[in-house]
Amino acid sequence: MDISDIAVKEFAEVEADTRVAKVRSLFERENPKGIVVMEDGDCIGVVREKQLIQSHVEDDTKVSAIVRSSRSGGSPPKVARYDDVREVCRVLVEGDVKIAPVYEGENLWGIVAADDILRTVHENLEAITVGDIASESVVTVTEDDHVGKAINRLRENGISRLPVVNETGELTGIITTNDIVNFAVRDEERQGEGDRRGEIDRMLDIPVYDLMSSPVQTITPGETVDDAVTVMFENDISGLVVTATPSGADIAGVITKTDVLRALSLTEEESMNVQITNVNLLDDLTREDIVADTTAVVDKFQEMNVLHAHVRFSQHKEKLRGTPLIRCQIRLRTTQGQVAGSGEGYGADHAFHVALDRLERNVLELKGVKADEEYRGQLMRKLNEL
């Protein structure tokens, strides 16, 4: 299936130095599905109305600031009008974007949005369960943790939501980047102009409990991905917390629209699928290098049966002789659970290989734990035979 019937031509074009106030008026007046931002004849990104609302930027801000802040640098991903849905999903996931320009030959034809793809194909996902694709390694915060700690965990893990638990570890709420931004903007409007360092410090010290949303939309591992996507659209959210039981408070994972897109991009031909987020940060490193090096590590441990590998790059502001500090996270989904490795370095190549080294050590540790468990089991069986 290709995207020719999913992509749309309802878009507007603006130059990179266009003020946000004009972009807002374009959405109100013409109601486009998205606005393509051009610079020197090239597309540098696509703005959605929801993205504009959530950004809370001033009217005088240039629209280029929005598209550039939503990416980590480089050119935005682009797709062709008749590209296969799987390939487009891969491009959206690896570009870490929700919408992309669509070309017919060299000409800009339209745009395609992740939500439109999911609306079109999610009924085909009835055979896949939430447990098949949900992230099992969940980062959480407690109700009493400060907002500053939540912000650090969101940034360090490259995620947009954190389940909130009480003192006994039960799920009680969820806090997202939008919750924090919305609160900060409301506080700024209330305080007015001037030096706000005190107010910012105060916000960072607020308990997560005061900002979290509750109750939380949840789903169980045995329900279908089709059900999950339906719940997300009905509640206008991008992710669900996975719990062991419908009424339970025990967290079993998290599933997001990006997880669904990633599942849609998998191909039957590949024994292991390697996906990269923020592929535009690659410098001397190529996508083929990443796939080859990750596969080389995985091939050493074939008995683990790795189903999927996800490599994520993110860029810090710090630089060394013009080369940015990059953080790389590699996560393997295997038949024996999930294992990950992360590292930082100047440039994508350095960061990737630091993370790869950590991943290999963590895999060895996992194998050692499994071996110990098998040995203990064998020993107990022998003792029972005595």
Side-chain angles (χ1 to χ4, degrees):
M1 178 182 180
D2 61 44
I3 62 163
S4 58
D5 293 328
I6 302 175
V8 298
K9 298 191 71 173
E10 290 85 31
F11 70 94
E13 283 188 39
V14 298
E15 290 298 319
D17 58 358
T18 303
R19 304 297 175 181
V20 165
K22 184 175 181 179
V23 176
R24 287 197 176 106
S25 67
L26 270 175
F27 276 116
E28 294 171 359
R29 186 173 66 252
E30 300 182 15
N31 194 30
K33 297 290 186 180
I35 292 180
V36 177
V37 182
M38 306 293 290
E39 187 173 58
D40 298 327
D42 294 323
C43 170
I44 64 169
V46 185
V47 177
R48 300 170 295 148
E49 185 172 22
K50 185 175 182 180
Q51 177 187 1
L52 188 65
I53 293 170
Q54 292 175 345
S55 65
H56 297 291
V57 296
E58 298 292 334
D59 283 348
D60 286 338
T61 304
K62 294 180 180 179
V63 68
S64 57
I66 297 177
V67 294
R68 283 172 175 143
S69 66
S70 65
R71 311 191 318 271
S72 297
S75 301
K78 56 179 68 175
V79 298
R81 185 180 175 188
Y82 296 100
D83 275 353
D84 187 80
V85 166
R86 291 181 185 274
E87 173 63 14
V88 175
C89 288
R90 183 189 67 79
V91 170
L92 292 173
V93 170
E94 293 191 348
D96 199 19
V97 295
K98 306 299 182 187
I99 191 168
V102 178
Y103 285 79
E104 190 167 41
E106 298 296 320
N107 300 318
L108 179 63
W109 182 90
I111 56 177
V112 64
D115 279 359
D116 290 339
I117 293 176
L118 292 178
R119 287 191 181 95
T120 302
V121 305
H122 77 81
E123 290 182 357
N124 299 327
L125 298 172
E126 292 181 345
I128 305 176
T129 67
V130 169
D132 290 333
I133 68 171
S135 301
E136 297 172 355
S137 301
V138 183
V139 182
T140 64
V141 289
T142 68
E143 295 175 335
D144 295 330
D145 282 334
H146 294 163
V147 169
K149 183 174 182 179
I151 292 173
N152 286 335
R153 290 197 171 176
L154 289 166
R155 183 187 300 118
E156 289 169 359
N157 292 278
I159 54 180
S160 59
R161 68 199 66 246
L162 291 168
V164 183
V165 297
N166 61 16
E167 57 186 12
T168 62
E170 295 179 325
L171 175 68
T172 58
I174 192 164
I175 185 169
T176 68
T177 52
N178 285 336
D179 295 328
I180 296 170
V181 170
N182 289 336
F183 179 83
V185 170
R186 287 197 303 269
D187 192 50
E188 181 178 4
E189 291 172 346
R190 185 170 60 250
Q191 296 292 335
E193 298 181 356
D195 188 350
R196 299 188 56 250
R197 284 173 295 183
E199 285 74 26
I200 292 173
D201 290 341
R202 185 184 65 82
M203 185 194 78
L204 296 179
D205 289 337
I206 292 174
V208 166
Y209 180 86
D210 291 348
L211 267 65
M212 73 181 195
S213 300
S214 183
V216 187
Q217 291 292 334
T218 64
I219 197 162
T220 58
E223 294 181 73
T224 68
V225 173
D226 177 27
D227 293 332
V229 173
T230 299
V231 173
M232 290 184 212
F233 280 129
E234 288 178 348
N235 293 274
D236 193 25
I237 54 179
S238 298
L240 301 169
V241 178
V242 183
T243 55
T245 61
S247 57
D250 294 329
I251 301 173
V254 170
I255 183 171
T256 67
K257 288 180 179 177
T258 300
D259 292 323
V260 181
L261 289 173
R262 189 175 293 117
L264 285 170
S265 72
L266 300 181
T267 59
E268 296 178 356
E269 290 78 12
E270 294 176 295
S271 58
M272 183 189 72
N273 186 279
V274 179
Q275 290 186 329
I276 307 163
T277 297
N278 287 330
V279 68
N280 49 335
L281 288 179
L282 304 185
D283 37 34
D284 295 333
L285 191 67
T286 67
R287 189 179 195 283
E288 290 71 25
D289 292 335
I290 292 175
V291 173
D293 289 351
T294 305
T295 302
V297 169
V298 168
D299 284 348
K300 297 179 182 179
F301 313 103
Q302 289 182 349
E303 65 272 20
M304 291 188 67
N305 191 12
V306 177
L307 307 173
H308 172 71
H310 180 210
V311 182
R312 181 186 182 90
F313 293 94
S314 55
Q315 180 174 311
H316 297 290
K317 292 183 179 179
E318 182 181 341
K319 292 185 178 181
L320 178 64
R321 292 190 288 275
T323 302
L325 180 63
I326 301 290
R327 176 178 174 82
C328 178
Q329 296 169 297
I330 309 173
R331 187 175 300 278
L332 303 182
R333 187 180 181 88
T334 81
T335 52
Q336 297 184 23
Q338 294 191 25
V339 60
S342 63
E344 293 183 346
Y346 290 98
D349 193 331
H350 184 198
F352 171 68
H353 285 96
V354 172
L356 196 65
D357 181 66
R358 170 56 63 182
L359 173 72
E360 186 164 1
R361 280 184 281 171
N362 289 345
V363 169
L364 286 170
E365 289 179 10
L366 178 62
K367 283 172 60 64
V369 170
K370 295 292 183 182
D372 288 345
E373 290 174 350
E374 292 175 3
Y375 175 75
R376 284 195 295 269
Q378 293 169 359
L379 183 60
M380 290 304 297
R381 284 194 294 274
K382 290 180 179 180
L383 289 173
N384 289 334
E385 292 172 358
L386 296 178

